[in-house]
Amino acid sequence: QVQLVESGGGLVQPGGSLRLSCAASGSIFRINAMAWYRQASGKERELVASITSASRTAYADSMKGRFTISRDNAKNTVDLQMNSLNAEDTAVYYCNAEGIYNTGRYFNAWGQGTLVTVSS
C-alpha cells in the first residue's frame, strides 16, 4: 500500500501564503505524477496543480501565477507553495500520486487531506 500524508494547512489571512507538503511512503517502485487537488464545501474536487517525474508542471487557470508545485523524486515528496490567497482558495487540499508498486501493479493514491482556511 501507498500512504500519502499532507501537512501545512491551517488558517491564513487573505493575501497570505501557505506551503503544503505531502510525503509518500510504502512499497513504491516508481511515482510517475503527483498532484494537488482541492475540494471546497459543497463543490466538486478540482485539480490544482500537477507535476511529473521530469518536473513538467500544469496549473489550473485560477492558480497560475500564485501557486507553485515542486517535488523531490528521491524523497517522494511534493510541495505546493500558495501565495496571494483569497477566500475562494478555502478548501480541503488533497495530495495525489500515481505510479507503480514494487509488485508491478499500478496505483493511484490519495492523502487524507489538509484544510486551508482563508479568512480575516
Side-chain angles (χ1 to χ4, degrees):
Q1 292 183 335
V2 174
Q3 189 168 13
L4 303 179
V5 180
E6 301 100 333
S7 62
L11 177 65
V12 64
Q13 293 185 217
S17 299
L18 281 176
R19 188 176 184 89
L20 306 182
S21 296
C22 172
S25 61
S27 300
I28 301 168
F29 175 73
R30 184 179 72 215
I31 297 177
N32 296 323
M34 303 188 81
W36 288 95
Y37 288 74
R38 71 184 186 187
Q39 187 167 21
S41 181
K43 293 191 174 183
E44 189 174 281
R45 187 173 300 186
E46 64 174 339
L47 176 66
V48 175
S50 63
I51 185 167
T52 70
S53 60
S55 295
R56 297 184 185 92
T57 60
Y59 299 90
D61 286 342
S62 63
M63 271 68 79
K64 288 180 180 178
R66 299 191 299 123
F67 292 7
T68 302
I69 189 170
S70 60
R71 68 184 286 176
D72 187 326
N73 293 336
K75 296 180 180 179
N76 287 336
T77 59
V78 61
D79 289 355
L80 183 70
Q81 178 65 46
M82 305 186 293
N83 300 323
S84 301
L85 289 164
N86 53 62
E88 66 182 28
D89 295 317
T90 295
V92 177
Y93 285 71
Y94 296 91
C95 179
N96 171 261
E98 68 89 10
I100 303 172
Y101 289 119
N102 285 333
T103 61
R105 291 198 171 207
Y106 171 83
F107 70 83
N108 190 318
W110 293 88
Q112 80 287 349
T114 185
L115 177 63
V116 173
T117 303
V118 185
S119 176
S120 299

